[in-house]
Amino acid sequence: MHTKQYLFSLVLSATSLMCFAQANISPAKKQNKTIAITGATVHVGNGTVIENGTVLFANGKIISVTADAQVPQDDVTRIVATGKHIYPGFIAATTNLGLTEIEAVKATLDFQEIGDFNSHIRSIVAYNTDSKVPATLRSNGILMAQPTPQGGTVSGSSSVVQLDAWNWEDAALKTDDAMHMTWPVTPRFRGGFGRPQQSPEVLAERTQAAVAQLTSFFTEAKAYSEMGKPDVINTRFEAMKKVFAGNEKLFIAAESQKDIVAAVNFAKKFGITPVITGADEAYLIIDFLKDNNITLVVKQPHALPNNNDDDVNMPYKNAAILANAGLNVVLSIDGYWQQRNLPFMAGTVTAWGLDKEKALSTITLNAAKAMGIDKTTGSIETGKDATFFISTGDALDMRTNKVEQAFIQGRDINLDNLHKQLDKKFSEKYTTEKK
């Protein structure tokens, strides 16, 4: 093939892909009328349920949430939701949503940087509002997310976004809400085909060296944060200033009880109360966690235990055990497109010992508290953002979750998505063929 023909083919292919990928769902316009939703069961998100409730909101904010309230007659749009349910928008914690699109295409992956200490990395600037995935999540009630960088020891800062925006500036609810790091662990794998066996002592020394390196990084960063204006800006240390000042949370990934204790004690040395993510063995050290006021972001219950001798049902029971003990528990799920199953993970937790409204809190108000946005969202309360949805049934049950209408900061968002469009397209095709 001649060079000109080859280049023409490339341009034609790229144009075809762009046409195929054109977005056809625009972000909703700003709320311009006062709206009252009446007759629904309102699940506030803080454990309270209001039967036959009325939610009144204007200019993107909730004006009142009452039972059997009289609706003002002057220029108020009324939505009758008798027999239906209103829930706060669900929040997807610690996800790479918007940072990746197609797992098999490297060019669409933007959630990890090279290196061990990447505190200067900010996920928000890489967040892709044109992704096809968020629209599929909104249809199940996930209206907010925490796009999180991954990889290395210190991965960088996450931000909290709402899932209906033109660009990342529009999407941002809170930028740089948390710095994320992974606690160094001793690997269980000691060798394999073509690899020499490594002794437990060697592996332990490697872990100790990693912890020492991490300690050195935090010590230098803290000293830097206490300086005046430095002559030379260190971007990695500069990014840690908000963590030491208490303006940005520190999320530490740790699984075993030993690593959780070590991670908490490490953070305390620097005056930080961390949020622990993963937390598979947190149920073994509940008193320690309560004494240190630790919030936990636990993994999805649909998983296998880490150890062969663990209770096979522990992943299902973990969140309930921790929440019933009085800890602030947030439920998360791996990946990005899988986030659409987040409410059903919370539903599973209710079958293993957690009250349904408490389970709802693990993906609403508890998540908002962990991310520092609970004053503006996470529950349906007066003065907060009007970010919630109407479901015809129980939103934590995959059999009855049917999101009929959703609002983000008062904006009535479009619940169409690529999945629905494909379903409609091929349903019509085969219905026509049968006729």
Side-chain angles (χ1 to χ4, degrees):
M1 183 181 290
H2 296 299
T3 303
K4 288 184 178 179
Q5 290 177 314
Y6 178 69
L7 290 174
F8 177 76
S9 298
L10 283 178
V11 172
L12 185 62
S13 298
T15 303
S16 298
L17 286 172
M18 288 174 65
C19 291
F20 177 75
Q22 285 299 310
N24 57 1
I25 303 171
S26 298
K29 294 180 180 180
K30 188 176 180 180
Q31 182 183 6
N32 56 16
K33 286 189 176 182
T34 302
I35 300 174
I37 305 175
T38 63
T41 298
V42 181
H43 302 264
V44 176
N46 60 4
T48 304
V49 178
I50 301 174
E51 301 291 345
N52 193 23
T54 295
V55 179
L56 186 67
F57 58 104
N59 299 317
K61 295 290 184 180
I62 298 172
I63 297 173
S64 65
V65 186
T66 53
D68 302 319
Q70 295 294 319
V71 179
Q73 299 300 313
D74 298 333
D75 198 27
V76 174
T77 300
R78 180 167 177 168
I79 299 173
V80 179
T82 304
K84 299 175 184 177
H85 300 260
I86 302 178
Y87 292 90
F90 300 150
I91 306 171
T94 59
T95 173
N96 56 15
L97 177 71
L99 306 178
T100 183
E101 190 70 12
I102 304 172
E103 290 171 313
V105 180
K106 188 176 181 180
T108 70
L109 309 181
D110 201 11
F111 56 86
Q112 184 172 339
E113 293 292 339
I114 297 172
D116 290 328
F117 296 94
N118 294 315
S119 52
H120 59 301
I121 296 300
R122 303 175 68 228
S123 66
I124 187 64
V125 297
Y127 178 70
N128 177 21
T129 53
D130 291 326
S131 169
K132 298 289 186 183
V133 182
T136 67
L137 309 187
R138 299 196 304 247
S139 292
N140 278 0
I142 298 94
L143 304 182
M144 292 166 282
Q146 183 191 34
T148 302
Q150 300 172 359
T153 303
V154 179
S155 306
S157 293
S158 63
S159 292
V160 187
V161 298
Q162 51 88 3
L163 302 185
D164 183 59
W166 288 104
N167 49 51
W168 67 262
E169 290 96 336
D170 292 340
L173 291 176
K174 183 173 184 180
T175 57
D176 305 326
D177 72 294
M179 184 68 66
H180 293 260
M181 60 169 278
T182 301
W183 186 253
V185 298
T186 303
R188 299 179 185 181
F189 183 76
R190 299 178 184 174
F193 182 76
R195 298 180 183 178
Q197 293 285 334
Q198 293 180 324
S199 68
E201 292 75 20
V202 171
L203 294 172
E205 286 178 8
R206 184 182 299 174
T207 302
Q208 290 171 6
V211 172
Q213 191 177 17
L214 181 63
T215 303
S216 176
F217 176 81
F218 266 72
T219 301
E220 292 179 33
K222 185 171 178 60
Y224 180 93
S225 70
E226 294 170 350
M227 293 170 56
K229 188 176 180 180
D231 295 332
V232 179
I233 298 295
N234 184 312
T235 55
R236 287 174 170 80
F237 293 162
E238 194 74 27
M240 294 292 294
K241 280 186 173 181
K242 291 198 295 184
V243 178
F244 294 119
N247 298 323
E248 184 174 354
K249 301 288 186 73
L250 178 64
F251 280 45
I252 307 178
E255 305 289 351
S256 71
Q257 58 174 321
K258 178 187 72 173
D259 291 333
I260 294 170
V261 170
V264 171
N265 288 335
F266 169 84
K268 284 174 60 180
K269 290 179 182 178
F270 296 95
I272 301 168
T273 300
V275 174
I276 299 297
T277 68
D280 284 353
E281 294 185 359
Y283 67 94
L284 297 172
I285 48 172
I286 287 175
D287 289 341
F288 171 81
L289 295 170
K290 291 178 70 174
D291 290 343
N292 288 280
N293 194 30
I294 301 300
T295 292
L296 301 165
V297 181
V298 301
K299 296 186 294 189
Q300 69 267 20
H302 290 192
L304 292 172
N306 281 346
N307 303 308
N308 292 333
D309 56 353
D310 285 349
D311 180 351
V312 70
N313 292 319
M314 185 49 67
Y316 293 91
K317 298 187 288 187
N318 192 28
I321 291 171
L322 297 170
N324 288 334
L327 288 162
N328 189 56
V329 176
V330 180
L331 193 62
S332 68
I333 186 170
D334 292 336
Y336 58 108
W337 61 266
Q338 299 97 326
Q339 299 299 326
R340 63 189 179 191
N341 292 319
L342 181 63
F344 313 138
M345 297 296 110
T348 296
V349 171
T350 67
W352 290 87
L354 189 60
D355 173 78
K356 184 167 287 188
E357 298 307 316
K358 286 185 177 180
L360 173 64
S361 294
T362 66
I363 56 175
T364 55
L365 187 57
N366 290 3
K369 288 178 179 178
M371 299 169 196
I373 57 172
D374 54 300
K375 291 183 179 180
T376 57
T377 191
S379 59
I380 305 174
E381 298 180 85
T382 301
K384 290 192 174 185
D385 290 348
T387 301
F388 49 76
F389 64 91
I390 303 171
S391 174
T392 58
D394 181 355
L396 303 188
D397 189 335
M398 64 181 296
R399 297 168 300 179
T400 57
N401 176 308
K402 186 178 179 182
V403 178
E404 196 172 70
Q405 197 167 7
F407 299 88
I408 294 179
Q409 295 176 321
R411 297 178 295 112
D412 189 355
I413 66 172
N414 188 339
L415 289 175
D416 196 11
N417 61 54
L418 185 59
H419 293 178
K420 291 180 179 179
Q421 292 168 9
L422 290 172
D423 177 67
K424 183 176 184 297
K425 174 181 177 179
F426 289 102
S427 293
E428 289 178 353
K429 168 181 167 57
Y430 292 114
T431 301
T432 302
E433 287 182 355
K434 286 180 180 180
K435 291 180 180 179

